[in-house]
Amino acid sequence: MSLTQVWSWVTGHPAGPYLSALTVVIYIALYSAFRNRTWRMEQARLERLQHSLELSAAALSPLQRAAEQRGRGLSEEARAQLQDRLQACKAAPYLTADLQAQISAYLADGDEARLLLLHRAFDREAARLMDERARLLARTEQPGWGLSLWLQLRAMLPFAFAAAAVLLTAWLLQALGSAPADGSSEAGWLRAAIWARFASILFSLLLLDPVLLGSRRPEPGGALLRLLSILIALLALIHLAGLETALYVLAVQLMLFGLGFSLTGKKPRKARPFAGHYDDDVVQAHLSGGSAGAADELPEPDTADSSSEEPTGRN
């Protein structure tokens, strides 16, 4: 069912003005609900970022003192304070899995050779969180010219998706009603093609919804998955060529969707217990080598596995 047919039906039906008014009310309700939901999600994300930064900053101070006293040992009071701060950091919402592993390793064995690496890791973590907070604040409080327009247009998309789903359902009922009812193979193929087109377009809408309306944190491979979702959705345009392509389009979409599972898998962990961990003998040699700048010669730990990922269920 095309938009022209819908418009002709609305203008010619006695209840057309009431349906138009109801449509406007639904549009305003969806628009307002989406804007409010987006604002609440951004505020919740800012609070989680602030909480993570506060816990990280509280641990940086004792870690700094411990790093400056390397080789001389920590007092019982300083060790207890450091352990308490590190334990509290494990509850930080946005602490990376790599840093969690480093904290657990130190709390398990109390090896002071790990403190310098922990300090560097917390330094990078705090810088990353502050950068993310600055970007989110700029997006919410000082959006650019193009971003402002996109935010307005994006709030209209929930209504557009709902309207598309209604029109798609109306087309399905109309197509099934006009299809031959006999038991021939041609009639069966036609009905299968109708259902395939319906499933393909609905599947495309479901994939576009999180891509265009979601507010997820940046994550490794996230851009590639979004591009894959857009590609799968764009394949629905092939339906314009005719109903004969419906089954093939749906099959290709499902295969590409299956490919996405291979892009979301976790990278295998390396042999070391966490990224950035070095052999204890090498670290101890650098820390107790006798020269004041020995610790500065430590190579920077590998941060390939320390990219932030949002836990399931967060947006």
Side-chain angles (χ1 to χ4, degrees):
M1 181 177 291
S2 64
L3 292 176
T4 305
Q5 292 174 317
V6 173
W7 177 254
S8 300
W9 184 85
V10 170
T11 54
H13 198 276
Y18 303 103
L19 290 175
S20 300
L22 179 62
T23 302
V24 172
V25 170
I26 293 174
Y27 168 77
I28 295 174
L30 289 176
Y31 184 92
S32 302
F34 178 78
R35 293 299 299 267
N36 291 334
R37 183 178 70 92
T38 301
W39 182 83
R40 289 195 302 269
M41 291 172 59
E42 288 174 346
Q43 293 303 308
R45 183 175 163 191
L46 276 173
E47 290 176 3
R48 290 192 291 268
L49 282 169
Q50 184 64 29
H51 184 47
S52 299
L53 272 171
E54 290 173 354
L55 292 176
S56 298
L60 269 174
S61 178
L63 273 174
Q64 175 70 33
R65 290 194 296 269
E68 292 172 352
Q69 297 175 2
R70 58 182 180 269
R72 289 178 288 178
L74 293 175
S75 65
E76 289 299 324
E77 181 181 357
R79 185 188 301 275
Q81 182 191 34
L82 177 59
Q83 289 179 346
D84 289 343
R85 298 284 176 85
L86 290 178
Q87 284 283 12
C89 280
K90 295 181 70 175
Y94 287 158
L95 199 69
T96 61
D98 177 70
L99 191 48
Q100 289 269 14
Q102 294 192 46
I103 293 173
S104 298
Y106 170 73
L107 293 176
D109 57 24
D111 187 1
E112 295 184 11
R114 303 182 189 274
L115 293 179
L116 185 60
L117 294 177
L118 262 177
H119 180 262
R120 291 181 176 180
F122 266 102
D123 231 0
R124 289 192 302 271
E125 183 80 353
R128 182 185 62 81
L129 291 175
M130 286 189 291
D131 184 58
E132 183 178 348
R133 184 183 61 178
R135 290 197 306 269
L136 185 57
L137 285 173
R139 174 186 175 87
T140 56
E141 299 180 358
Q142 296 176 327
W145 180 259
L147 180 59
S148 298
L149 177 61
W150 164 243
L151 292 177
Q152 299 297 324
L153 293 176
R154 192 176 72 153
M156 303 177 184
L157 291 179
F159 176 80
F161 283 170
V166 171
L167 291 175
L168 181 62
T169 304
W171 171 85
L172 174 67
L173 297 176
Q174 183 186 45
L176 290 176
S178 60
D182 56 4
S184 63
S185 59
E186 292 183 2
W189 178 263
L190 179 60
R191 286 181 172 274
I194 291 173
W195 279 105
R197 174 183 284 188
F198 173 79
S200 173
I201 299 177
L202 184 62
F203 184 51
S204 300
L205 293 175
L206 293 176
L207 283 179
L208 281 179
D209 182 85
V211 172
L212 300 179
L213 302 181
S215 300
R216 297 180 179 178
R217 297 180 67 214
E219 57 182 352
L224 183 59
L225 289 175
R226 287 192 291 271
L227 287 175
L228 182 61
S229 298
I230 294 173
L231 173 62
I232 294 174
L234 288 177
L235 287 175
L237 296 176
I238 301 177
H239 291 298
L240 297 174
L243 202 56
E244 298 81 7
T245 62
L247 289 169
Y248 304 104
V249 171
L250 179 61
V252 173
Q253 286 179 316
L254 292 176
M255 286 190 293
L256 290 176
F257 181 75
L259 177 63
F261 286 103
S262 64
L263 302 176
T264 58
K266 299 281 187 182
K267 292 183 179 179
R269 296 296 295 169
K270 298 181 181 179
R272 59 193 182 208
F274 49 82
H277 177 251
Y278 302 104
D279 183 78
D280 290 342
D281 295 336
V282 175
V283 176
Q284 188 61 38
H286 279 84
L287 294 177
S288 58
S291 65
D296 297 332
E297 299 175 3
L298 275 171
E300 285 294 327
D302 180 16
T303 58
D305 294 337
S306 61
S307 302
S308 64
E309 295 187 10
E310 184 178 9
T312 302
R314 287 196 183 117
N315 288 322

